Amino acid sequence: MTERITEDPGAAAPAAVRPLPPAPVRRVSMADVARRAGVSSQTVSRVSNGYPGVVEATRRQVLDAMAELGYRPNSAARALRSGRFRTIGVILFSLSTTGNVRTLEAIATSAAAQGYAITVIPVEAPTQGGVRGAFTRLGELAVDAVILLMEVHLLDAADLTLPDGVPVVVADSDADDRYPVIDTDQADGSRTAVQHLLDLGHRTVVHLAGPEQSFAGQRREDAWRRTLTDAGCEVPEVYRGDWSAWSGYEVGREIARTDATAVFAANDQMALGLMRALAESGRAVPDDVSVVGFDDVPDAVAYRPPLTTIHQDFAEVGRRCVELVLQRLDAGAADHGTTLVPVRIVERASTAPPPS
Amino acid sequence: MTERITEDPGAAAPAAVRPLPPAPVRRVSMADVARRAGVSSQTVSRVSNGYPGVVEATRRQVLDAMAELGYRPNSAARALRSGRFRTIGVILFSLSTTGNVRTLEAIATSAAAQGYAITVIPVEAPTQGGVRGAFTRLGELAVDAVILLMEVHLLDAADLTLPDGVPVVVADSDADDRYPVIDTDQADGSRTAVQHLLDLGHRTVVHLAGPEQSFAGQRREDAWRRTLTDAGCEVPEVYRGDWSAWSGYEVGREIARTDATAVFAANDQMALGLMRALAESGRAVPDDVSVVGFDDVPDAVAYRPPLTTIHQDFAEVGRRCVELVLQRLDAGAADHGTTLVPVRIVERASTAPPPS
DNA sequence: CTAGTCCATGTTTACGTCAACATCCGTCAC
DNA sequence: GTGACGGATGTTGACGTAAACATGGACTAG
């Protein structure tokens, strides 16, 4: 499979040369339908788009001809004509985190409901090279709008810009005020989690944080710290994982050696690993140590013990992203605010008052 | 957001009428670049596509003009002209199973490497209505080929057909011999799992199966049964979950009441729930009961205990799907075989010889 | 020195759709 | 009866690209 891809943004300097094979079977066009129905192709267009000014009898004829011939509008021609692809691009680094996946799913569903398709643009790990390729193509991508499922500053790091005139919305990240943001209310989630533990009587709460580069992780951590400070609690050392259950386990072994009685993990997967580490050290959850997670992954209800966690409304985030990006597409609105989607705590069996 | 979408396959009977707003800012076209560079637009086309027969000096001029003007090829026009969108559609029911997600990710990555974009076509739960809408649009979707991440018979149930002439490949499913299939070697995985338990000395192996409608689940179950039969073991009653960890827990509580010493769960998530159920019944894994999963999800290494499981090579499945579908697009090949991608067992800490 | 080649580049045209404008015909008011 | 009006339908052209064909100049062989 040879490839002809622009390597250089703005300029085109492709390598291999293989003309695409001849276009596949010519499909049924409006002209064909028009001939069959004995009308002009413009009338077919009108019927196809539901415009008025077509008498019922004619309409029927056209509809019949369409059915007989199996006519399908050609979206390339449509897009060329209208300048719209009816497609939204979603740029993301990976589908390995629950959040991204569920948000993507919600985006796809909402977009479909609006008659828009979703093009997924995966960007490999932030290696300069990999990113570059993916983004370069973006300019010529058949996309009317873009939803970024990643931190905007990573985009900068890659030294790339989105094409002008394409509405962009950022989900679950920061955006340097350049684009509007739809985000889970990370701060409120953290606060709720920590407060829940404090209310149970824990003297303070240890935080198993996400990676430093993650904006969401950063905000969860900040809110944890602030909540403790506001409550006049001592702020313990931060432990840091990389979102994976395994990192939760590794870091969890350190936490298990401390006298912590309450841990707030920045996501459920790390909480899973943490709970294993605690169990292996003979510290019972929730009797000896309480644990709260973040995300409310479907599995959390089957963790041992079922995890108390902060439920994120990914569906709502996705829905709002689509809504906002389409609104900007139509109106060209320009307020770069941040919209927060509320969260709620789901109390299960991993939290209890501290051992007396 | 009003919508003008064909409701009826083949015929068009839209409802609302709102012309799209005028096309956004006119973008830089080949003609602009040509003017700027003082050449014909055909020469620009040649440079843009890396065709030979352009002298270096001219090429440079064109490249410069492209850069200055910020030229981006218009993919709609390109698609109209060439009949190719350089896009692959992926149809799937949900992104809630690990398998789908990871396969999708692999597909997206491989496709990007080949210069193809991925359009995700979500189909809501197999409700006749929902499916219909999604598929109807498929016909006019800007897609050169389709990868189905679902059972073909569900497609039939929805009483819909894919447009002719579009290559289709089915991943991880059956296809009634209508389309080629790329699949994980489910049977070999099951056999390996069961054999591993038998080799440890277990007299027989209980199966925590997936839902009856799932083809993958069916095949895992068949292979489990066959392996037991071949080994002359008694075949115990089948327990059935719905892939979720919670269902694994619920069904697991029943299993925990039996005298089973070895369980093969049809996926890791159910194994997670099962292990919780066993723990709650005071049956230790692996000392009292051995458990093997299927999938090797990233979290499995952090389960308590770390799960012995069958590793699926989703990346390879995705890669092959893309390869095959593009090959069919170019060549129109027509062999509807099934390609099996090998699996391997990952031995961790959830299996041991039976208690004596 | 001329005919033949080959190569770089230019010109034309078609892809399918749809907006804009043109046409045709019936109806109605005067 | 004639002109004006309006509704149904047709005709034209443009969107941006790239294949097919055309041109023209340089070089080569005889």
Side-chain angles (χ1 to χ4, degrees), chain A residues 96 244-246 269, chain B residues 98 102 268 295-302 348:
Chain A
S96 58
S244 74
W246 180 250
Q269 292 172 291
Chain B
T98 324
R102 310 230 340 246
D268 289 352
D295 276 355
D296 194 18
V297 298
D299 286 0
V301 69
R348 289 198 271 249

Side-chain angles (χ1 to χ4, degrees), chain A residues 88 107 110-111 114 116 144-148 166-172 175 178-183 315-341, chain B residues 1:
Chain A
I88 299 171
I107 289 173
S110 307
Q114 307 278 319
Y116 275 73
D144 300 322
V146 166
I147 296 174
L148 272 175
V166 175
V168 175
V169 167
V170 175
D172 268 337
R178 283 199 279 157
Y179 306 114
V181 175
I182 307 285
D183 195 1
E316 179 67 9
V317 171
R319 210 181 55 69
R320 294 229 197 155
C321 282
V322 171
E323 190 179 276
L324 182 57
V325 87
L326 290 184
Q327 175 190 316
R328 294 171 71 80
L329 182 62
D330 278 348
D335 49 317
H336 289 177
T338 294
T339 305
L340 292 181
V341 175
Chain B
M1 187 100 297

Side-chain angles (χ1 to χ4, degrees), chain B residues 264-295:
Chain B
F264 166 45
N267 78 345
D268 289 352
Q269 292 171 290
M270 291 198 296
L272 173 67
L274 166 67
M275 292 201 296
R276 175 179 156 215
L278 291 169
E280 286 182 1
S281 302
R283 309 198 56 190
V285 176
D287 295 336
D288 297 326
V289 183
S290 286
V291 175
V292 177
F294 205 114
D295 276 355

Side-chain angles (χ1 to χ4, degrees), chain A residues 1 3 86 114 304 330, chain B residues 1 3-4 112 114 304:
Chain A
M1 186 100 301
E3 205 25 86
R86 303 202 75 88
Q114 307 278 319
R304 183 154 31 121
D330 278 348
Chain B
M1 187 100 297
E3 203 26 88
R4 300 193 272 115
Q114 308 277 322
R304 182 149 39 115

Side-chain angles (χ1 to χ4, degrees), chain A residues 188-237:
Chain A
D188 186 55
S190 281
R191 199 195 49 68
T192 306
V194 174
Q195 196 61 53
H196 169 68
L197 291 165
L198 295 179
D199 288 349
L200 283 169
H202 294 272
R203 215 188 298 272
T204 190
V205 175
V206 166
H207 186 38
L208 172 43
E212 237 160 338
Q213 321 85 278
S214 160
F215 192 74
Q218 203 57 57
R219 268 180 306 174
R220 290 175 198 176
E221 183 178 333
D222 291 347
W224 158 76
R225 184 172 288 112
R226 183 148 18 84
T227 307
L228 287 184
T229 311
D230 288 354
C233 301
E234 176 209 353
V235 177
E237 181 193 355

Side-chain angles (χ1 to χ4, degrees), chain B residues 75-89:
Chain B
S75 43
R78 217 173 233 193
L80 176 59
R81 191 73 246 279
S82 66
R84 295 293 186 84
F85 296 95
R86 304 201 75 89
T87 296
I88 299 171

Side-chain angles (χ1 to χ4, degrees), chain A residues 152-173:
Chain A
V152 166
H153 64 82
L154 291 176
L155 205 158
D156 292 338
D159 182 29
L160 293 159
T161 37
L162 267 10
D164 299 336
V166 175
V168 175
V169 167
V170 175
D172 268 337
S173 259

